[in-house]
Amino acid sequence: MRTLGYTAAIDDALAQAMAQDPRIVVLGEDVPMLRRDLLVRFGPKRVRGTPISESAFLGAGVAAAMAGLRPVVELYMVDFLGVCMDALLNHAAKVAAFSGGTCTAPVVVRAPCGGGYGDGGQHGQTLWGWLAHIPGLTVVAPSTPADAGGTMLAALGHDRPVVFLEHKLLSETWLEFLGSGGRTTVRFDVPENGTRGEVPDPWEPVPIGKAVLRRPGTAVTLVSVGVGVHRALEAAAALEPEGISAGVLDLRTVSPLDRDAVLAEVSRTGRLVVVDEDYEAFGLSGELAAVLAEAGVAFKFARVCTRTTIPYAREMEAEVLPNMQRVCKAVRQVTR
Amino acid sequence: MRTLGYTAAIDDALAQAMAQDPRIVVLGEDVPMLRRDLLVRFGPKRVRGTPISESAFLGAGVAAAMAGLRPVVELYMVDFLGVCMDALLNHAAKVAAFSGGTCTAPVVVRAPCGGGYGDGGQHGQTLWGWLAHIPGLTVVAPSTPADAGGTMLAALGHDRPVVFLEHKLLSETWLEFLGSGGRTTVRFDVPENGTRGEVPDPWEPVPIGKAVLRRPGTAVTLVSVGVGVHRALEAAAALEPEGISAGVLDLRTVSPLDRDAVLAEVSRTGRLVVVDEDYEAFGLSGELAAVLAEAGVAFKFARVCTRTTIPYAREMEAEVLPNMQRVCKAVRQVTR
Amino acid sequence: MSPDPWSLYALMLRSRLFEEAIAKLWHDGAISGEMHLGTGEEGIVAGVVAHLRDGDAMALDHRGTAPLLMRGEDPVAILRELLGRPDGLCGGKGGHMHLFSRRFLAASSGIVGAAGPAACGFALAAQHRDAGAVAVAFFGDGALNQGMLMESFGLAAAWDLPVLFVCKDDGWAITTRSDGVAGADPMARARGFGLPAVEVDGRDVAEVWEAARVAVGRARTGGGPSFLRARCVHLEGHFLGFQLVRIVRDPLRAGPEVAVPLTRSLLRPGGGSIAERLRGLTGVVGAVLSTLRDPRRDAANDPVRRAREALPRDADRLRALEQRIGLEIGGVLAEASP
Amino acid sequence: MSPDPWSLYALMLRSRLFEEAIAKLWHDGAISGEMHLGTGEEGIVAGVVAHLRDGDAMALDHRGTAPLLMRGEDPVAILRELLGRPDGLCGGKGGHMHLFSRRFLAASSGIVGAAGPAACGFALAAQHRDAGAVAVAFFGDGALNQGMLMESFGLAAAWDLPVLFVCKDDGWAITTRSDGVAGADPMARARGFGLPAVEVDGRDVAEVWEAARVAVGRARTGGGPSFLRARCVHLEGHFLGFQLVRIVRDPLRAGPEVAVPLTRSLLRPGGGSIAERLRGLTGVVGAVLSTLRDPRRDAANDPVRRAREALPRDADRLRALEQRIGLEIGGVLAEASP
Ligand SMILES: Cc1ncc(C[n+]2csc(CCOP(=O)(O)OP(=O)(O)O)c2C)c(N)n1
Ligand SMILES: Cc1ncc(C[n+]2csc(CCOP(=O)(O)OP(=O)(O)O)c2C)c(N)n1
Ligand SMILES: [Mg+2]
Ligand SMILES: [Mg+2]
């Protein structure tokens, strides 16, 4: 076992896969600098910088995947999918269906996501629930270095398009690049266990579509992904003294949802609190409620999500994004 | 009272507003021909054809709205939002928030949506739940000519961006243009009351965010929008002989959701069946379940939605889109 | 080098007869939604596709039937797909705007401009897989205004991708004349991205064939992307049942439907000044008129007929050829839709 | 007509001192996330903004502070916004990439290329509201590859919109050299859309001023859109704390962080051939080196200094001016962040 940071883990797993599978290529803006360690090992044919033409290079990644490559297409941030959404909505997600299963587009779209460092509402979205709405897309959002690397390995072996979301608050690399910029004068509410941790060597794939119980609990189940998992864990720890036993389920994959794990946990506790950094309405929190209601499970429900455009000011942002206090409040409400 | 078709009603209400408010302009591909009746009355300065540059002219519509115009930007189909989603996701929806309320972008995005005429999976999506996920967007999907015209009038008076979805199956004009093409040899499962109906003269705005109960019922509440409302009504009628009293609530506006109406109805019946032509997962059906669960309402739940990419073949398409039989099955399941 | 006029004519005729059969099925209601044919652009498609070989790829737009057929895909499978049958090329799931062929590395899209990024991706894969392979993108003149296509021009140029961008220029985007909404002409736009650009008469298959030969050859040998603009006329207008064409072909029936509400609105109180209204009216009438002067009726615009006339005199061979193809398509029809 | 060098210098100096104050606040941690400054492009911004008047609009990119300040927006409100205070220009909700000014019709966006569509919309509104008004779009060279910006060029040309597209060309998009990823040069691309295009030295405010005068004048009188390319150097690199610049300015500290893992990976078994690896290494080293030859250190690239040197000799007036501006910015700082 060795210890790696979140982004280093992803790159390390990616490197392991690239060494074994020559079909894997990496494209995106500034990739030669952002993935310089891959560039000097695998060369400029497999690690390519692009112009700021997301529609062209993401669309190209989808077609290249149809033609037998395994492209990892990097977007600077998931927010920027707005300019090239067509490639996912009408192409990547539909190739297999349209072709009657004769063609597939196994492209991995890697994008930093999430807020918490004061970058404003166009640079702090997560959008995993939004993307998961589209049939044909697999959406993952790992919350630890070990899961991040293992999930990247699984994504590279997946036969369908995968959106791989890398939370900036878990990434020392991204926070350094976009947040601190080498300063020691700024602080971010970074979940320790999310940013560095033990990782296997060599990497093993972490199965897509399987949630993991981060903390068992009898009174209420907190379900989350990404940074929210750590907020939920902090809350669960904080609530223990109050005699509230809260379990935390880390979905890891947003779509396909691990219904069985959710049903199993919430059936036992009878209470569900969703902690979702993505927008609240018409998203992940609703889908979880529907899954339980469909299964006929009776449950108490509350959700701690992002309700509005994410404000720039750090204090305002901290209020809008799910935080430990809001999670505790929601848990008390459903357990009272 | 007079009788008008669905699209004619929208254009008629639009014309009434344009005659009163010179700030209203209409832009989009082929609008000089599609809205020729408006063109010859209001002239080419207010009814403008565009190149196939959705990102440019939708983005322009958003800024023009900031600058005081009331643009109605037409997209050929809602599916094509993929190429210009950024204008809605990162601009229209966020202007008011970013500017601290000092600026707004009252643009109306008008787009035909929906399937049922065999046009394939890139031309039959509805996406209303997907759009509703984004804070700052108002999303409407009227189901009758009277609502269509009145809602367009309300949208033109709304101070925030509105996505106005016009279902092709309800529009004689669009079905003629895209479906039959003047043929008498093809049939579509068109809901009569949706396509032609009595409309007021002059037009009065239909309030945004207010649902309407199309049919009272005591045993189960069917909640839907657009064509689904008519499928639900057919089902409710078909179930009556079986002694099942099913009510039908037409949301009319997807976002903001009329929570009160939903809570009131389902609290009474204790059973909710969502009929949603949009994709099932992470969308409208889930949000409805969450709203009820949050409110602590105990309810039985089933949903009839679109689960996969919409297939081209008419028979397959008819199975994938919500149909009367599937609705009846779902109702029987929750009422048994 | 010069093309074999017989094989090119055969390619085109086969496609024409096939699409005429499709038109018939559409009119009979056996096909439901939109149906965009390639009738009128066969000269462009044949002239380009004739240069493709194993490993080459095609990114197709909403008129993908002809290229796929000419490339060699099974006509029965294609027709069954258009008929929405489970045994169709894509199991009836795709339809005419979403035809995919794994065998010939072809992907279609109904999203205008999507052929650009797709061709770049195919070309990128070619660079990795088998150097020497190329990708062709087919799209129309209206697509030149779509950002993703323009981005693709830049990406292909920056990466020296083996792509041939083929603009099938009929001057129209549905009811919109391209010269009215485009900033500059297509050639200037393409050259602005550093693409070598050539213009040919798309109604003349030999001209297209020669231009495509040079461009494809350049791409195969690492010379990078090219842009080919070929003018053509779509004999059926934008799609089957196209309203503008109906007005022209059956004015008594289709005319009033349009004229009556138009006139009522024109005279409605409230709205623009007389001048503004007249400007608006001019716009509408103009569009209809330019269809009335129906270039579709001008035989000179039919690439198949022109290819036929360009054949060396050999009545027997011609008769035999046309009979063979006629029989083949007849057989396909019978087999696909019993 | 010629510009008043004093007022242009005043505009630029004021902006420079203001942004240097921002940089200080950022380094002190009073500002959290990314911070893109306009230091180095003041010559471009001043030369253009000097021609704007009531009713004109600005579509800004991620470097919107300088244009907004030079246009006349309240510096205290701007600074409070950057500090994320509820009494900021946008209530602390927008931040430096999302500055909006209703009074000066200005909208910013952090989405590269978004200034294009926005400027078209402002210009459209101008055509309807008060003929004679214009809209300016500010964006960088990297943005030229973004589809929506290219679409905007076409739309503006097709509709003869009163827009001035200003490309602030520093040759870079973060760590990417534009000449390495763009198909052709910016001028050719702009002309491909039918835009009149002019190239100037953006470090020389007088040159920019003159070119902008012509273009803005044309737009006001119905002559349609123009494209202006002005070269510049961003004195702080892409944004404050930019890694490449840190390596250059503090090699001992920032160097190893990069070099150690790089070397380890370079030597790692499995992967590309030696040749491929060296090509990769060359790419990385090249980028760092081209920053090492740091044009930022060359005083000739500082537009403010150049504007100062271009002033007619008048030591007293100069001292008075600089003193006044220094005091003003000092006061702004004090008032905005007590
Ligand atoms: C992004 C997008 N916008 C609009 C449409 C609707 N549409 C379908 S075909 C077409 C016209 C295309 O014109 P052109 O590219 O010249 O091709 P042609 O039909 O003339 O062969 C339009 C606007 C679409 N399919 N996709
Ligand atoms: C659509 C989109 N893609 C990528 C980014 C990330 N990004 C922010 S600034 C930038 C570079 C822009 O370069 P240029 O346009 O030359 O402006 P400059 O920073 O050099 O002034 C990039 C890639 C973004 N904000 N939006
Ligand atoms: Mg065309
Ligand atoms: Mg730049």
Side-chain angles (χ1 to χ4, degrees):
Chain A
M1 276 287 185
R2 36 184 192 147
T3 301
L4 281 181
Y6 186 88
T7 291
I10 299 168
D11 291 350
D12 192 69
L14 182 52
Q16 176 182 313
M18 287 178 79
Q20 284 157 10
D21 185 349
R23 299 172 307 166
I24 300 173
V25 298
V26 182
L27 355 153
E29 293 149 25
D30 287 340
V31 154
M33 191 52 61
L34 297 171
R35 306 291 159 241
R36 53 186 173 263
D37 297 354
L38 296 176
L39 174 60
V40 296
R41 181 172 170 194
F42 298 100
K45 272 195 74 180
R46 294 183 64 189
V47 182
R48 288 184 183 237
T50 64
I52 309 175
S53 304
E54 284 85 357
S55 302
F57 68 76
L58 179 53
V62 174
M66 278 191 250
L69 291 186
R70 290 270 168 173
V72 176
V73 178
E74 293 205 25
L75 292 177
Y76 238 110
M77 294 190 193
V78 71
D79 312 68
F80 308 149
L81 262 178
V83 302
C84 55
M85 196 58 215
D86 178 69
L88 289 187
L89 173 67
N90 290 321
H91 295 91
K94 293 177 169 52
V95 166
F98 281 158
S99 66
T102 59
C103 305
T104 57
V107 60
V108 176
V109 179
R110 176 182 180 179
C113 75
Y117 62 102
D119 218 3
Q122 279 175 341
H123 294 66
Q125 302 172 91
T126 47
L127 302 181
W128 44 57
W130 193 59
L131 294 165
H133 180 64
I134 302 165
L137 290 186
T138 295
V139 182
V140 298
S143 68
T144 68
D147 272 1
T151 305
M152 174 52 80
L153 204 60
L156 291 165
H158 201 59
D159 69 339
R160 293 295 160 94
V162 178
V163 181
F164 185 101
L165 297 171
E166 176 179 357
H167 202 295
K168 283 166 277 174
L169 217 55
L170 299 177
S171 165
E172 290 173 343
T173 323
W174 280 118
L175 260 190
E176 214 279 335
F177 192 74
L178 300 168
S180 68
R183 294 174 294 173
T184 55
T185 49
V186 278
R187 293 262 161 287
F188 307 105
D189 182 2
V190 171
E192 258 179 40
N193 309 336
T195 50
R196 311 201 115 265
E198 293 206 322
V199 303
D201 187 4
W203 287 96
E204 288 300 321
V206 167
I208 286 172
K210 282 227 107 342
V212 59
L213 193 66
R214 295 286 178 200
R215 175 191 173 108
T218 57
V220 54
T221 307
L222 306 184
V223 175
S224 189
V225 278
V227 164
V229 171
H230 303 282
R231 305 289 182 237
L233 287 167
E234 295 162 30
L239 289 162
E240 203 163 13
E242 301 178 27
I244 299 175
S245 161
V248 176
L249 185 69
D250 180 354
L251 291 171
R252 305 197 289 188
T253 297
V254 178
S255 174
L257 206 52
D258 188 344
R259 299 164 146 263
D260 300 345
V262 173
L263 288 174
E265 282 306 307
V266 182
S267 311
R268 269 202 303 97
T269 62
R271 297 187 183 84
L272 168 64
V273 172
V274 181
V275 181
D276 180 10
E277 187 177 333
D278 191 10
Y279 299 123
E280 176 174 282
F282 305 85
L284 170 59
S285 56
E287 185 60 17
L288 288 165
V291 164
L292 293 164
E294 260 176 333
V297 176
F299 64 106
K300 288 185 138 196
F301 178 76
R303 46 183 173 173
V304 180
C305 314
T306 301
R307 293 200 155 148
T308 65
T309 293
I310 300 164
Y312 162 77
R314 285 291 299 279
E315 311 69 44
M316 303 182 197
E317 184 187 26
E319 273 318 296
V320 166
L321 300 179
N323 58 44
M324 198 252 267
Q325 292 72 19
R326 283 174 62 200
V327 177
C328 289
K329 198 151 151 286
V331 170
R332 291 192 194 98
Q333 178 198 317
V334 294
T335 49
R336 122 158 43 82
Chain B
M1 278 288 186
R2 42 192 184 141
T3 301
L4 281 180
Y6 185 88
T7 290
I10 298 169
D11 291 351
D12 193 70
L14 182 52
Q16 176 183 313
M18 287 178 79
Q20 284 156 12
D21 185 348
R23 299 171 307 167
I24 300 173
V25 298
V26 182
L27 352 155
E29 292 149 25
D30 286 340
V31 295
M33 190 52 63
L34 298 171
R35 307 292 159 237
R36 54 187 173 263
D37 297 353
L38 297 176
L39 174 60
V40 297
R41 181 173 170 193
F42 298 100
K45 271 195 73 181
R46 295 182 65 190
V47 181
R48 288 186 183 235
T50 65
I52 309 175
S53 304
E54 284 85 358
S55 302
F57 69 76
L58 179 53
V62 174
M66 278 191 250
L69 292 186
R70 291 271 168 173
V72 177
V73 178
E74 293 205 25
L75 291 176
Y76 238 110
M77 294 189 192
V78 71
D79 314 67
F80 309 150
L81 263 178
V83 301
C84 55
M85 195 59 215
D86 178 68
L88 288 187
L89 172 68
N90 289 322
H91 295 90
K94 294 176 168 52
V95 166
F98 281 157
S99 66
T102 59
C103 305
T104 57
V107 60
V108 176
V109 179
R110 177 182 179 180
C113 75
Y117 63 101
D119 217 2
Q122 279 175 342
H123 293 66
Q125 303 172 91
T126 48
L127 301 181
W128 44 58
W130 193 58
L131 294 165
H133 180 65
I134 303 165
L137 290 187
T138 295
V139 182
V140 298
S143 68
T144 68
D147 273 1
T151 305
M152 173 52 79
L153 203 61
L156 291 165
H158 200 59
D159 69 339
R160 295 296 161 94
V162 177
V163 181
F164 185 101
L165 297 172
E166 175 179 0
H167 203 294
K168 282 167 277 175
L169 217 56
L170 300 177
S171 165
E172 290 173 343
T173 323
W174 280 117
L175 261 189
E176 213 279 333
F177 192 74
L178 301 167
S180 68
R183 294 174 295 174
T184 54
T185 49
V186 278
R187 292 261 162 285
F188 307 106
D189 182 3
V190 170
E192 258 181 40
N193 309 337
T195 50
R196 310 200 116 266
E198 293 207 323
V199 302
D201 189 4
W203 287 98
E204 289 300 321
V206 167
I208 287 171
K210 283 224 103 349
V212 58
L213 192 67
R214 295 287 179 200
R215 175 192 173 106
T218 57
V220 54
T221 305
L222 307 184
V223 175
S224 189
V225 278
V227 163
V229 170
H230 303 282
R231 305 291 182 234
L233 287 166
E234 295 164 30
L239 290 162
E240 203 164 11
E242 302 178 24
I244 299 175
S245 162
V248 176
L249 184 70
D250 180 354
L251 291 171
R252 305 197 290 188
T253 298
V254 179
S255 174
L257 207 52
D258 188 344
R259 298 163 145 263
D260 300 344
V262 174
L263 287 174
E265 281 308 306
V266 182
S267 311
R268 268 200 305 96
T269 62
R271 297 188 184 84
L272 167 64
V273 172
V274 181
V275 181
D276 180 9
E277 186 177 333
D278 192 9
Y279 299 122
E280 176 174 282
F282 305 85
L284 171 59
S285 55
E287 185 60 18
L288 289 165
V291 164
L292 293 163
E294 261 177 332
V297 176
F299 64 106
K300 287 186 140 193
F301 178 77
R303 45 182 174 173
V304 180
C305 314
T306 300
R307 292 200 156 145
T308 65
T309 294
I310 301 165
Y312 161 78
R314 283 291 300 278
E315 310 68 44
M316 303 182 197
E317 184 187 27
E319 272 318 296
V320 166
L321 301 179
N323 58 44
M324 199 252 266
Q325 293 71 18
R326 282 174 62 201
V327 177
C328 289
K329 199 150 151 287
V331 171
R332 290 193 194 98
Q333 178 198 318
V334 294
T335 48
R336 118 154 47 79
Chain C
M1 251 183 91
S2 74
D4 165 20
W6 291 98
S7 59
L8 286 178
Y9 175 62
L11 268 183
M12 294 165 72
L13 178 65
R14 191 161 164 272
S15 174
R16 173 65 57 88
L17 295 183
F18 188 63
E19 291 203 300
E20 279 174 352
I22 292 169
K24 171 106 179 42
L25 288 165
W26 183 88
H27 283 290
D28 296 347
I31 295 171
S32 175
E34 300 178 75
M35 178 52 66
H36 312 84
L37 297 183
T39 52
E41 56 182 53
E42 293 98 339
I44 305 172
V45 178
V48 170
V49 170
H51 297 287
L52 301 185
R53 64 187 192 200
D54 276 12
D56 293 340
M58 299 192 301
L60 308 172
D61 65 2
H62 50 292
R63 306 186 191 275
T65 307
L68 214 50
L69 182 80
M70 294 196 201
R71 187 76 180 81
E73 189 48 84
D74 172 10
V76 175
I78 296 176
L79 192 50
R80 284 182 173 156
E81 182 61 28
L82 303 190
L83 290 167
R85 294 180 34 150
D87 53 2
L89 180 65
C90 304
K93 297 259 172 64
H96 90 285
M97 280 192 279
H98 313 117
L99 296 170
F100 286 76
S101 169
R102 188 186 186 74
R103 182 160 151 233
F104 294 101
L105 257 184
S108 314
S109 177
I111 306 298
V112 168
C120 288
F122 285 139
L124 179 66
Q127 278 187 337
H128 283 259
R129 224 184 37 252
D130 47 36
V134 304
V136 174
F138 284 110
F139 51 86
D141 45 312
L144 288 171
N145 299 304
Q146 184 57 234
M148 71 172 125
L149 180 59
M150 298 190 254
E151 288 186 358
S152 309
F153 291 169
L155 187 68
W159 284 358
D160 272 320
L161 293 172
V163 180
L164 173 54
F165 293 104
V166 181
C167 178
K168 306 166 296 165
D169 186 348
D170 69 344
W172 288 87
I174 311 189
T175 72
T176 300
R177 286 211 53 83
S178 288
D179 49 27
V181 292
D185 90 299
M187 300 301 285
R189 191 168 289 193
R191 294 200 176 104
F193 291 91
L195 296 178
V198 177
E199 186 164 1
V200 298
D201 182 345
R203 302 165 308 174
D204 180 340
V205 64
E207 235 187 79
V208 178
W209 186 91
E210 178 52 27
R213 186 182 66 80
V214 175
V216 169
R218 185 188 302 127
R220 289 203 195 288
T221 53
S226 313
F227 178 84
L228 180 62
R229 178 202 195 181
R231 294 174 181 279
C232 66
V233 171
H234 284 124
L235 305 181
E236 292 290 338
H238 179 67
F239 48 22
L240 290 174
F242 188 43
Q243 198 177 41
L244 281 182
V245 174
R246 287 211 318 272
I247 296 177
V248 175
R249 294 189 180 166
D250 185 359
L252 292 180
R253 220 180 116 257
E257 282 173 23
V258 173
V260 173
L262 193 74
T263 320
R264 193 180 294 120
S265 181
L266 177 68
L267 305 174
R268 195 99 175 261
S273 64
I274 305 281
E276 276 302 303
R277 292 181 188 227
L278 286 181
R279 266 187 224 99
L281 186 63
T282 318
V284 178
V285 174
V288 177
L289 282 185
S290 58
T291 321
L292 260 178
R293 276 185 246 91
D294 190 356
R296 294 164 194 80
R297 295 180 179 170
D298 180 349
N301 289 325
D302 183 342
V304 180
R305 188 193 209 112
R306 285 171 64 139
R308 188 176 197 266
E309 284 156 2
L311 291 172
R313 290 234 152 288
D314 184 338
D316 301 345
R317 183 173 178 183
L318 181 60
R319 196 178 314 102
L321 174 83
E322 295 183 335
Q323 204 165 47
R324 198 196 78 235
I325 294 176
L327 286 173
E328 185 207 345
I329 298 304
V332 167
L333 204 58
E335 192 181 340
S337 54
Chain D
M1 250 182 97
S2 75
D4 165 20
W6 292 97
S7 59
L8 286 179
Y9 175 62
L11 267 183
M12 295 166 71
L13 178 65
R14 192 160 164 271
S15 174
R16 173 64 58 86
L17 295 184
F18 188 63
E19 292 204 298
E20 280 174 352
I22 292 169
K24 171 102 179 42
L25 288 166
W26 184 87
H27 283 289
D28 296 346
I31 294 171
S32 174
E34 300 178 75
M35 177 52 67
H36 312 84
L37 297 183
T39 52
E41 57 183 52
E42 292 98 339
I44 305 171
V45 177
V48 171
V49 170
H51 296 287
L52 302 185
R53 62 185 196 204
D54 276 11
D56 294 339
M58 298 192 301
L60 308 172
D61 65 2
H62 50 292
R63 305 186 192 276
T65 306
L68 214 50
L69 182 80
M70 294 195 201
R71 187 75 179 82
E73 189 49 83
D74 173 10
V76 174
I78 296 175
L79 192 50
R80 285 184 173 156
E81 182 62 27
L82 303 191
L83 291 167
R85 294 179 35 149
D87 53 2
L89 181 64
C90 303
K93 298 261 172 62
H96 90 285
M97 281 192 279
H98 313 117
L99 296 170
F100 286 76
S101 169
R102 187 186 187 75
R103 181 158 150 235
F104 293 100
L105 256 184
S108 314
S109 176
I111 306 298
V112 167
C120 288
F122 285 139
L124 179 65
Q127 277 187 338
H128 282 258
R129 225 183 36 252
D130 48 39
V134 304
V136 174
F138 284 110
F139 50 85
D141 45 313
L144 288 171
N145 299 304
Q146 184 56 235
M148 70 172 125
L149 181 59
M150 298 190 256
E151 289 185 358
S152 308
F153 291 169
L155 188 68
W159 284 359
D160 272 320
L161 293 173
V163 180
L164 173 54
F165 293 104
V166 181
C167 178
K168 305 166 295 166
D169 186 349
D170 69 345
W172 288 88
I174 311 188
T175 72
T176 301
R177 287 211 51 83
S178 287
D179 49 27
V181 291
D185 89 301
M187 300 301 286
R189 191 169 288 193
R191 293 200 176 104
F193 291 90
L195 297 177
V198 178
E199 186 163 1
V200 297
D201 181 346
R203 301 165 309 174
D204 180 341
V205 64
E207 235 187 79
V208 177
W209 186 92
E210 178 52 26
R213 186 183 67 79
V214 175
V216 168
R218 185 189 303 128
R220 290 203 194 288
T221 53
S226 313
F227 177 85
L228 180 62
R229 178 201 196 182
R231 292 173 183 280
C232 66
V233 171
H234 284 124
L235 305 181
E236 291 291 338
H238 179 68
F239 49 22
L240 291 175
F242 188 43
Q243 199 177 41
L244 280 183
V245 174
R246 286 208 322 269
I247 297 177
V248 175
R249 295 188 180 166
D250 184 359
L252 292 180
R253 217 179 118 258
E257 282 174 22
V258 174
V260 173
L262 193 74
T263 320
R264 192 178 296 120
S265 182
L266 176 68
L267 304 174
R268 195 100 173 261
S273 65
I274 307 278
E276 276 302 302
R277 291 180 189 229
L278 287 181
R279 265 185 225 102
L281 186 63
T282 319
V284 179
V285 174
V288 178
L289 282 185
S290 56
T291 320
L292 261 177
R293 278 185 244 91
D294 189 356
R296 294 163 194 78
R297 295 179 178 172
D298 180 348
N301 289 325
D302 183 342
V304 179
R305 185 190 210 116
R306 286 171 64 138
R308 188 175 197 268
E309 283 155 2
L311 291 171
R313 290 234 151 289
D314 184 337
D316 301 345
R317 183 174 179 182
L318 181 59
R319 196 177 316 100
L321 175 81
E322 296 182 335
Q323 206 165 46
R324 199 196 76 232
I325 294 177
L327 286 173
E328 185 206 346
I329 297 303
V332 166
L333 205 57
E335 190 180 343
S337 52

